Amino acid sequence: KALAKRPQDRYGSVEQLSEDIQRYLAGLPVIAVEGTRLYVTRKFLRRHRVGVTAAAVIFFLLIAGLAGTLWQARVANRERALAEQRFSDSRKLANYLLFLLYDSVQALPGSLPVRADMAGESLQYLDRLAAAKGQDRALALELAEGYLRLGEILEAPLGGGDSLGNASKAVESDRKALAILDPLGRENAGD
């Protein structure tokens, strides 16, 4: 700027030149260079390296944290859906064992050991489902129905006079059904 060909493009005084030199030494934009945004931004970044670096690191950490949170939420949703599917499969299996399969096997001669094993497995499934039932009214009704059915299986004579003959387990199963149905009856007195 001090050597510009046109006089109007030169510094107007020595003070202006001195001021520009001081600005240059301080890292500020100088009058001699046209103040493009890129130039001014570069000067700002050089003057505030620590602050800009800290802001960039914080911004990067925020983005990384957000990405990690979104990824974890996606994984959690996938796991929740898988758990719900397993829970639904357990419900279906317990109903299948207690109602459809048990009735089919009951008519077969010599099936008492198989039916006893099915009743034991059904009781375990029902107990696991009851532990995880939460506030699901439909599941509670299914569980109560399953416990009542299991009570019938355990106490009633079956087939040609043979019976599982476990009255104490039958009563225990009926009590579990009552424990499930009693609160539902109080909540829905008109139903």
Side-chain angles (χ1 to χ4, degrees):
K1 184 166 175 107
L3 300 172
K5 291 188 182 214
R6 297 183 327 167
Q8 64 266 25
D9 293 338
R10 296 183 196 144
Y11 287 108
S13 67
V14 174
E15 288 81 27
Q16 283 184 338
L17 174 61
S18 175
E19 186 182 323
D20 235 8
I21 291 172
Q22 293 300 321
R23 292 178 66 80
Y24 174 79
L25 292 174
L28 297 170
V30 293
I31 298 168
V33 178
E34 285 192 33
T36 64
R37 289 184 188 187
L38 179 61
Y39 170 72
V40 173
T41 303
R42 249 190 354 235
K43 286 292 190 177
F44 178 82
L45 293 175
R46 284 186 186 151
R47 274 194 325 272
H48 302 287
R49 281 187 183 141
V50 174
V52 170
T53 303
V57 167
I58 289 171
F59 179 73
F60 174 74
L61 291 175
L62 285 173
I63 295 299
L66 179 63
T69 302
L70 291 175
W71 180 74
Q72 286 296 328
R74 188 170 156 224
V75 168
N77 283 337
R78 201 173 352 162
E79 291 296 323
R80 182 186 47 78
L82 185 60
E84 286 176 0
Q85 180 61 43
R86 287 181 186 147
F87 189 71
S88 175
D89 291 346
S90 293
R91 283 172 77 172
K92 289 175 186 172
L93 181 61
N95 281 330
Y96 176 71
L97 279 174
L98 277 173
F99 295 98
L100 298 173
L101 189 60
Y102 194 88
D103 290 343
S104 298
V105 172
Q106 183 178 357
L108 299 174
S111 64
L112 186 61
V114 173
R115 288 182 294 168
D117 188 44
M118 288 172 62
E121 288 296 317
S122 297
L123 180 61
Q124 288 178 6
Y125 275 119
L126 289 173
D127 288 344
R128 276 190 235 127
L129 288 172
K133 77 175 165 50
Q135 299 298 320
D136 188 353
R137 187 174 188 271
L139 176 60
L141 290 173
E142 281 182 36
L143 286 169
E145 186 179 6
Y147 279 125
L148 289 173
R149 171 71 170 148
L150 191 57
E152 291 172 10
I153 290 170
L154 290 169
E155 68 185 341
L158 303 169
D162 59 349
S163 168
L164 294 183
N166 196 336
S168 65
K169 284 214 182 247
V171 169
E172 180 184 333
S173 182
D174 290 343
R175 284 189 179 143
K176 287 179 182 179
L178 184 60
I180 293 170
L181 291 173
D182 193 38
L184 290 176
R186 280 187 300 234
E187 290 173 10
N188 305 296
D191 186 353

